[in-house]
Amino acid sequence: NEVAAVIFWVMASADPECAEADAFWCFSELMVDIKEGFMQALDHTGEGVYGLVEGVTKLIRSYDPELARHLQKSELPPFVFLVRWCTVLFAQDATLPDLVRLWDAFVADPRRFELV
């Protein structure tokens, strides 16, 4: 899993001897926070994957209307890329240093998982 790999890399950078155990616990806690995106029973609710896609689409429209228009003109359903962004937390779409900085911002924000 891309998410677990990033967590392991960060933990190994800090303390290689305890990295595996630390990464396991961090990954477990992260999954507790974002589990709704992975629960099929919630898919068609405001907390499930479709609610998530709708919420992020609204954020894009609000913060970057030009990007929103471009995505709409491309006729690419937002579900295609937003689910990947939100379930693997951009791990497939950013370099490792950029990803670590982005995750640091997520973790520091008290509203961190409204996006995911």
Side-chain angles (χ1 to χ4, degrees):
N1 182 302
E2 294 90 346
V3 174
V6 174
I7 293 171
F8 180 77
W9 183 84
V10 170
M11 294 304 163
S13 300
D15 183 0
E17 191 172 308
C18 299
E20 188 174 344
D22 290 344
F24 171 80
W25 290 110
C26 286
F27 180 77
S28 296
E29 290 301 311
L30 176 64
M31 289 298 107
V32 167
D33 282 342
I34 66 171
K35 68 180 177 265
E36 287 83 10
F38 296 93
M39 298 175 71
Q40 188 175 11
L42 297 176
D43 277 357
H44 295 283
T45 70
E47 295 177 17
V49 69
Y50 290 98
L52 172 72
V53 167
E54 182 59 32
V56 174
T57 301
K58 287 179 183 176
L59 285 172
I60 291 172
R61 276 190 235 127
S62 173
Y63 285 99
D64 196 338
E66 184 179 341
L67 174 61
R69 284 190 297 279
H70 172 74
L71 293 172
Q72 189 173 17
K73 282 196 309 191
S74 73
E75 297 182 9
L76 178 67
F79 193 86
V80 172
F81 57 90
L82 289 179
V83 169
R84 186 177 83 195
W85 284 358
C86 297
T87 57
V88 296
L89 304 173
F90 299 93
Q92 296 176 338
D93 300 293
T95 64
L96 191 54
D98 290 342
L99 189 61
V100 171
R101 291 182 75 190
L102 179 62
W103 283 19
D104 189 47
F106 274 143
V107 171
D109 186 344
R111 297 174 58 196
R112 64 185 154 264
F113 296 116
E114 287 181 20
L115 174 64
V116 295

